[in-house]
Amino acid sequence: MSDRITVEELTELMKKSAGVTVSPQELRQGYETGFDAFGIDSLALLGIVGELENRYGTPMPVDAEKSKTPQQFLELVNSVLLTEA
């Protein structure tokens, strides 16, 4: 298991936790676009955060579910995972 979350993993989590299907390529193109453009709200992000906490066994940042963009979210959670590694 890697110690950072990739765009590919995030798209899988978006599908699993929120039922939103986005390709990694689409997510990369919209990296700085708001999650709302992909149909992801704070509740869906909370589900993704919960899934990550279960997967990695470590708490995610308190504000992770308030991230506005995929870029902001990945930077936040990866900073925690890299610290924990």
Side-chain angles (χ1 to χ4, degrees):
M1 189 175 306
S2 120
D3 57 358
R4 61 185 289 117
I5 297 159
T6 63
V7 168
E8 288 77 11
E9 277 184 278
L10 182 55
T11 59
E12 288 171 26
L13 288 165
M14 287 166 66
K15 184 171 186 174
K16 181 177 179 181
S17 299
V20 173
T21 303
V22 178
S23 74
Q25 183 180 4
E26 284 177 285
L27 196 61
R28 277 193 194 91
Q29 287 172 342
Y31 205 51
E32 296 178 19
T33 304
F35 271 116
D36 52 352
F38 296 107
I40 299 287
D41 60 14
S42 60
L43 193 59
L45 271 178
L46 199 55
I48 292 169
V49 168
E51 185 67 33
L52 289 172
E53 289 178 340
N54 290 338
R55 186 180 291 183
Y56 290 94
T58 188
M60 291 294 123
V62 177
D63 291 336
E65 75 275 3
K66 294 180 185 154
S67 297
K68 299 294 182 209
T69 66
Q71 178 181 18
Q72 186 182 20
F73 182 79
L74 287 173
E75 286 173 358
L76 199 56
V77 296
N78 282 331
S79 69
V80 166
L81 291 175
L82 290 170
T83 305
E84 295 287 320

